[in-house]
Amino acid sequence: MSKTRSFSWSTLYIVACFILMYLPIFYLMFYSFNEGGSMVEFTGFTLDHYRQLFEDRRLMIFVMNTFIVAILSAFIATVIGSLGALAIYYFRSNRLRQTVLNLNSVLMVTPDVMMGASFLLMFSLLIPVRFGFGTVLLSHVAFNVPIVVLMVLPRLYEMNPSMITAALDLGANSQQILSRIVLPSIRSGILAGYFMAFTYSLDDFAVTFFVTGNGFSTLSVEVYSRARRGVSLEINALSTLMMIVALIIVAVYYFIRTNEYRRKAKKQRAKKGV
Protein backbone atom coordinates (compact mmCIF):
# COMPACT_ATOMS: atom_id res chain seq x y z
CA MET A 1 0.00 0.00 0.00
CA SER A 2 2.79 2.40 0.96
CA LYS A 3 4.74 1.48 -2.18
CA THR A 4 1.74 2.31 -4.39
CA ARG A 5 1.23 5.63 -2.64
CA SER A 6 4.94 6.49 -2.90
CA PHE A 7 4.93 5.66 -6.58
CA SER A 8 1.89 7.88 -7.17
CA TRP A 9 3.47 10.85 -5.43
CA SER A 10 6.77 10.39 -7.25
CA THR A 11 4.95 10.16 -10.59
CA LEU A 12 2.98 13.29 -9.81
CA TYR A 13 6.17 15.11 -8.85
CA ILE A 14 7.91 14.11 -12.10
CA VAL A 15 4.88 15.14 -14.20
CA ALA A 16 4.72 18.50 -12.42
CA CYS A 17 8.42 19.11 -13.05
CA PHE A 18 8.09 18.33 -16.74
CA ILE A 19 5.05 20.59 -17.03
CA LEU A 20 6.90 23.49 -15.39
CA MET A 21 9.87 22.99 -17.71
CA TYR A 22 8.13 22.33 -21.02
CA LEU A 23 4.87 24.29 -20.80
CA PRO A 24 6.55 27.71 -21.32
CA ILE A 25 8.52 26.28 -24.25
CA PHE A 26 5.40 24.90 -25.96
CA TYR A 27 3.58 28.15 -25.22
CA LEU A 28 6.36 30.04 -26.99
CA MET A 29 6.37 27.58 -29.90
CA PHE A 30 2.58 27.76 -30.25
CA TYR A 31 2.55 31.54 -30.60
CA SER A 32 5.34 31.47 -33.18
CA PHE A 33 2.55 30.55 -35.62
CA ASN A 34 0.25 33.35 -34.44
CA GLU A 35 -0.95 35.73 -37.14
CA GLY A 36 -1.16 38.51 -34.57
CA GLY A 37 1.84 40.38 -33.27
CA SER A 38 1.64 39.36 -29.62
CA MET A 39 1.33 36.34 -27.34
CA VAL A 40 -1.89 37.53 -25.76
CA GLU A 41 -4.44 36.14 -28.23
CA PHE A 42 -4.10 33.60 -31.06
CA THR A 43 -5.80 35.16 -34.07
CA GLY A 44 -4.82 32.70 -36.79
CA PHE A 45 -2.16 30.40 -38.21
CA THR A 46 0.70 31.85 -40.26
CA LEU A 47 4.32 31.20 -41.22
CA ASP A 48 5.13 34.87 -41.76
CA HIS A 49 7.30 35.06 -38.64
CA TYR A 50 9.50 32.26 -39.97
CA ARG A 51 9.75 34.02 -43.32
CA GLN A 52 10.75 37.26 -41.57
CA LEU A 53 13.29 35.30 -39.56
CA PHE A 54 15.09 33.97 -42.64
CA GLU A 55 14.92 37.40 -44.29
CA ASP A 56 16.66 38.99 -41.30
CA ARG A 57 20.27 38.88 -42.51
CA ARG A 58 21.68 40.31 -39.30
CA LEU A 59 20.08 37.56 -37.23
CA MET A 60 21.16 34.87 -39.70
CA ILE A 61 24.77 36.05 -39.39
CA PHE A 62 24.55 35.65 -35.62
CA VAL A 63 23.05 32.19 -36.06
CA MET A 64 26.02 31.20 -38.25
CA ASN A 65 28.44 32.72 -35.72
CA THR A 66 26.82 30.73 -32.93
CA PHE A 67 27.06 27.40 -34.73
CA ILE A 68 30.62 28.02 -35.94
CA VAL A 69 31.77 28.81 -32.41
CA ALA A 70 29.84 25.85 -30.97
CA ILE A 71 31.23 23.34 -33.49
CA LEU A 72 34.83 24.54 -33.25
CA SER A 73 34.89 25.03 -29.48
CA ALA A 74 33.29 21.64 -28.89
CA PHE A 75 35.83 19.94 -31.16
CA ILE A 76 38.85 21.66 -29.60
CA ALA A 77 37.54 21.13 -26.08
CA THR A 78 36.88 17.45 -26.83
CA VAL A 79 40.47 16.93 -27.97
CA ILE A 80 41.95 18.80 -25.00
CA GLY A 81 39.51 17.29 -22.49
CA SER A 82 40.10 13.74 -23.73
CA LEU A 83 43.87 14.17 -23.46
CA GLY A 84 43.40 15.71 -20.03
CA ALA A 85 41.28 12.76 -18.89
CA LEU A 86 43.97 10.37 -20.12
CA ALA A 87 46.61 12.34 -18.20
CA ILE A 88 44.52 12.26 -15.01
CA TYR A 89 43.88 8.54 -15.41
CA TYR A 90 47.59 7.76 -15.69
CA PHE A 91 48.69 9.95 -12.77
CA ARG A 92 50.67 7.78 -10.37
CA SER A 93 49.97 10.00 -7.36
CA ASN A 94 46.43 9.69 -6.01
CA ARG A 95 46.80 13.02 -4.24
CA LEU A 96 47.74 14.77 -7.47
CA ARG A 97 44.88 13.08 -9.30
CA GLN A 98 42.36 14.16 -6.67
CA THR A 99 43.72 17.71 -6.64
CA VAL A 100 43.33 18.05 -10.40
CA LEU A 101 39.81 16.59 -10.26
CA ASN A 102 38.85 19.04 -7.51
CA LEU A 103 40.16 21.96 -9.57
CA ASN A 104 38.22 20.66 -12.56
CA SER A 105 35.05 20.45 -10.46
CA VAL A 106 35.54 24.01 -9.23
CA LEU A 107 35.42 25.21 -12.84
CA MET A 108 32.16 23.30 -13.32
CA VAL A 109 30.40 25.03 -10.42
CA THR A 110 31.89 28.51 -10.94
CA PRO A 111 29.12 30.99 -11.82
CA ASP A 112 29.10 32.00 -15.47
CA VAL A 113 29.14 35.69 -14.60
CA MET A 114 32.30 35.26 -12.54
CA MET A 115 33.92 33.21 -15.29
CA GLY A 116 32.98 35.80 -17.91
CA ALA A 117 34.38 38.62 -15.78
CA SER A 118 37.64 36.70 -15.31
CA PHE A 119 37.98 36.22 -19.07
CA LEU A 120 37.27 39.93 -19.55
CA LEU A 121 40.11 40.84 -17.20
CA MET A 122 42.45 38.32 -18.79
CA PHE A 123 41.85 39.47 -22.37
CA SER A 124 41.94 43.16 -21.48
CA LEU A 125 44.76 43.31 -18.91
CA LEU A 126 46.86 40.13 -18.69
CA ILE A 127 46.78 39.17 -22.37
CA PRO A 128 45.59 42.27 -24.23
CA VAL A 129 43.88 41.12 -27.41
CA ARG A 130 41.15 42.41 -29.65
CA PHE A 131 37.73 41.19 -28.59
CA GLY A 132 35.82 39.22 -31.16
CA PHE A 133 35.72 35.73 -32.61
CA GLY A 134 39.02 34.65 -31.03
CA THR A 135 38.14 35.67 -27.49
CA VAL A 136 34.69 34.06 -27.72
CA LEU A 137 36.13 30.82 -29.11
CA LEU A 138 38.87 30.60 -26.46
CA SER A 139 36.38 31.30 -23.67
CA HIS A 140 34.01 28.60 -24.89
CA VAL A 141 36.84 26.11 -25.17
CA ALA A 142 37.93 26.94 -21.63
CA PHE A 143 34.57 26.30 -19.96
CA ASN A 144 33.88 23.23 -22.11
CA VAL A 145 37.10 21.35 -21.29
CA PRO A 146 36.03 20.43 -17.69
CA ILE A 147 32.75 19.06 -19.08
CA VAL A 148 34.58 16.79 -21.51
CA VAL A 149 36.94 15.58 -18.77
CA LEU A 150 33.99 14.54 -16.61
CA MET A 151 32.40 12.72 -19.55
CA VAL A 152 35.52 10.82 -20.64
CA LEU A 153 37.12 9.94 -17.29
CA PRO A 154 34.41 7.47 -16.12
CA ARG A 155 34.80 5.54 -19.39
CA LEU A 156 38.52 5.20 -18.69
CA TYR A 157 37.82 3.70 -15.27
CA GLU A 158 35.36 1.27 -16.88
CA MET A 159 38.09 0.08 -19.26
CA ASN A 160 39.64 -3.30 -18.53
CA PRO A 161 43.33 -2.62 -17.67
CA SER A 162 44.27 -6.22 -18.40
CA MET A 163 43.70 -5.50 -22.10
CA ILE A 164 46.50 -2.92 -22.04
CA THR A 165 48.77 -5.30 -20.13
CA ALA A 166 48.10 -8.06 -22.66
CA ALA A 167 48.78 -5.68 -25.55
CA LEU A 168 52.10 -4.67 -24.01
CA ASP A 169 53.04 -8.32 -23.55
CA LEU A 170 52.29 -8.92 -27.22
CA GLY A 171 54.60 -6.09 -28.25
CA ALA A 172 52.12 -3.32 -29.01
CA ASN A 173 53.47 0.24 -28.87
CA SER A 174 51.79 3.24 -27.26
CA GLN A 175 50.18 4.42 -30.49
CA GLN A 176 48.63 1.02 -31.17
CA ILE A 177 47.32 0.75 -27.61
CA LEU A 178 45.79 4.22 -27.86
CA SER A 179 44.14 3.68 -31.26
CA ARG A 180 43.01 0.05 -30.86
CA ILE A 181 42.20 -0.27 -27.16
CA VAL A 182 41.86 3.05 -25.34
CA LEU A 183 39.99 5.15 -27.91
CA PRO A 184 37.41 2.44 -28.79
CA SER A 185 36.78 1.94 -25.05
CA ILE A 186 36.14 5.63 -24.37
CA ARG A 187 34.47 6.50 -27.67
CA SER A 188 31.05 6.90 -26.06
CA GLY A 189 32.49 9.27 -23.46
CA ILE A 190 34.17 11.34 -26.17
CA LEU A 191 30.91 11.61 -28.11
CA ALA A 192 29.01 12.51 -24.95
CA GLY A 193 31.60 15.16 -24.15
CA TYR A 194 31.36 16.63 -27.64
CA PHE A 195 27.58 16.83 -27.60
CA MET A 196 27.56 18.32 -24.10
CA ALA A 197 30.21 20.90 -25.05
CA PHE A 198 28.31 21.75 -28.24
CA THR A 199 25.09 22.26 -26.29
CA TYR A 200 26.72 24.39 -23.59
CA SER A 201 28.40 26.56 -26.20
CA LEU A 202 25.25 26.89 -28.27
CA ASP A 203 23.18 28.54 -25.55
CA ASP A 204 25.86 30.32 -23.51
CA PHE A 205 25.12 33.95 -22.77
CA ALA A 206 26.90 35.15 -19.62
CA VAL A 207 30.47 34.32 -20.68
CA THR A 208 29.94 35.42 -24.29
CA PHE A 209 28.44 38.73 -23.18
CA PHE A 210 31.73 39.69 -21.48
CA VAL A 211 34.13 38.71 -24.27
CA THR A 212 32.29 39.61 -27.47
CA GLY A 213 33.20 42.67 -29.50
CA ASN A 214 34.50 44.07 -32.79
CA GLY A 215 31.17 43.46 -34.51
CA PHE A 216 31.16 39.76 -33.62
CA SER A 217 28.34 38.41 -31.50
CA THR A 218 26.33 35.24 -30.96
CA LEU A 219 22.66 34.48 -31.00
CA SER A 220 22.11 34.58 -27.24
CA VAL A 221 23.60 38.07 -26.91
CA GLU A 222 21.57 39.34 -29.87
CA VAL A 223 18.33 37.86 -28.52
CA TYR A 224 19.03 39.49 -25.16
CA SER A 225 19.56 42.90 -26.75
CA ARG A 226 16.35 42.55 -28.76
CA ALA A 227 14.35 41.29 -25.79
CA ARG A 228 15.14 44.50 -23.94
CA ARG A 229 13.24 46.36 -26.68
CA GLY A 230 10.36 43.88 -26.58
CA VAL A 231 10.14 40.25 -27.67
CA SER A 232 8.80 39.79 -31.20
CA LEU A 233 7.28 36.60 -32.56
CA GLU A 234 10.32 36.37 -34.82
CA ILE A 235 12.25 35.37 -31.68
CA ASN A 236 9.55 32.78 -30.99
CA ALA A 237 10.13 31.30 -34.42
CA LEU A 238 13.88 31.25 -33.85
CA SER A 239 13.45 29.57 -30.46
CA THR A 240 11.22 26.93 -32.04
CA LEU A 241 13.86 26.09 -34.64
CA MET A 242 16.58 25.96 -31.99
CA MET A 243 14.42 23.59 -29.96
CA ILE A 244 14.06 21.33 -32.99
CA VAL A 245 17.84 21.36 -33.49
CA ALA A 246 18.33 20.42 -29.83
CA LEU A 247 15.88 17.52 -30.18
CA ILE A 248 17.74 16.30 -33.27
CA ILE A 249 21.05 16.38 -31.37
CA VAL A 250 19.53 14.41 -28.50
CA ALA A 251 18.04 11.87 -30.93
CA VAL A 252 21.40 11.39 -32.70
CA TYR A 253 23.21 10.91 -29.40
CA TYR A 254 20.54 8.47 -28.20
CA PHE A 255 20.84 6.51 -31.45
CA ILE A 256 24.63 6.29 -31.07
CA ARG A 257 24.40 5.20 -27.45
CA THR A 258 21.72 2.60 -28.21
CA ASN A 259 23.82 1.05 -30.98
CA GLU A 260 26.83 0.95 -28.68
CA TYR A 261 24.90 -0.83 -25.93
CA ARG A 262 23.61 -3.32 -28.47
CA ARG A 263 27.14 -4.05 -29.69
CA LYS A 264 28.36 -4.54 -26.13
CA ALA A 265 25.45 -6.84 -25.33
CA LYS A 266 26.13 -8.82 -28.51
CA LYS A 267 29.80 -9.23 -27.57
CA GLN A 268 28.88 -10.36 -24.06
CA ARG A 269 26.45 -12.94 -25.43
CA ALA A 270 29.10 -14.17 -27.84
CA LYS A 271 31.59 -14.57 -24.99
CA LYS A 272 29.07 -16.49 -22.91
CA GLY A 273 28.30 -18.71 -25.88
CA VAL A 274 31.99 -19.50 -26.34
Side-chain angles (χ1 to χ4, degrees):
M1 190 75 174
S2 60
K3 290 183 178 180
T4 304
R5 187 177 300 172
S6 176
F7 174 79
S8 299
W9 279 107
S10 63
T11 304
L12 180 62
Y13 173 77
I14 294 173
V15 170
C17 287
F18 276 104
I19 290 175
L20 288 174
M21 288 188 295
Y22 284 98
L23 185 60
I25 297 175
F26 286 118
Y27 179 82
L28 182 146
M29 295 171 66
F30 175 73
Y31 275 95
S32 69
F33 302 100
N34 185 18
E35 189 176 6
S38 67
M39 290 188 289
V40 178
E41 181 182 1
F42 192 87
T43 58
F45 180 86
T46 183
L47 295 175
D48 288 343
H49 303 298
Y50 290 87
R51 178 180 54 80
Q52 295 171 5
L53 172 65
F54 288 106
E55 291 177 353
D56 191 338
R57 293 188 177 182
R58 175 182 171 86
L59 197 58
M60 288 297 102
I61 290 174
F62 291 138
V63 171
M64 291 180 60
N65 291 345
T66 302
F67 276 94
I68 290 173
V69 169
I71 292 171
L72 290 178
S73 64
F75 176 76
I76 298 172
T78 301
V79 174
I80 298 174
S82 300
L83 294 175
L86 286 169
I88 294 172
Y89 178 75
Y90 284 108
F91 278 157
R92 294 183 179 180
S93 173
N94 291 329
R95 179 177 297 180
L96 179 60
R97 183 186 298 112
Q98 193 59 45
T99 301
V100 174
L101 285 175
N102 290 337
L103 292 174
N104 187 79
S105 300
V106 168
L107 293 175
M108 287 289 297
V109 299
T110 301
D112 290 343
V113 174
M114 185 182 298
M115 188 175 294
S118 66
F119 286 130
L120 174 64
L121 293 175
M122 183 179 71
F123 292 133
S124 59
L125 297 177
L126 300 178
I127 312 174
V129 294
R130 196 173 184 180
F131 284 79
F133 173 76
T135 54
V136 174
L137 179 63
L138 290 175
S139 301
H140 283 224
V141 170
F143 70 69
N144 277 330
V145 168
I147 300 171
V148 177
V149 171
L150 291 181
M151 293 290 106
V152 175
L153 200 57
R155 301 298 186 274
L156 285 169
Y157 286 114
E158 292 175 0
M159 184 174 58
N160 188 359
S162 61
M163 296 174 61
I164 298 178
T165 304
L168 290 172
D169 293 338
L170 293 172
N173 55 36
S174 300
Q175 185 177 358
Q176 290 173 329
I177 292 174
L178 179 64
S179 61
R180 299 184 182 183
I181 297 177
V182 177
L183 289 181
S185 299
I186 64 174
R187 180 173 52 191
S188 61
I190 293 174
L191 288 174
Y194 179 84
F195 281 118
M196 287 292 293
F198 179 83
T199 304
Y200 270 73
S201 178
L202 199 63
D203 67 349
D204 177 76
F205 166 74
V207 175
T208 308
F209 181 78
F210 281 93
V211 297
T212 190
N214 194 29
F216 182 87
S217 185
T218 60
L219 191 58
S220 58
V221 178
E222 176 65 14
V223 170
Y224 170 76
S225 62
R226 293 194 180 195
R228 296 180 64 182
R229 301 192 299 265
V231 178
S232 66
L233 296 187
E234 185 179 337
I235 302 301
N236 289 41
L238 176 62
S239 302
T240 302
L241 295 178
M242 294 295 290
M243 183 66 181
I244 293 173
V245 170
L247 291 175
I248 292 173
I249 293 173
V250 172
V252 170
Y253 175 68
Y254 176 79
F255 178 76
I256 294 173
R257 290 286 291 169
T258 302
N259 285 343
E260 184 178 356
Y261 284 133
R262 287 177 180 173
R263 286 195 298 267
K264 287 183 178 180
K266 188 176 180 179
K267 287 181 181 179
Q268 291 177 356
R269 287 195 297 267
K271 289 180 181 179
K272 290 180 180 179
V274 173

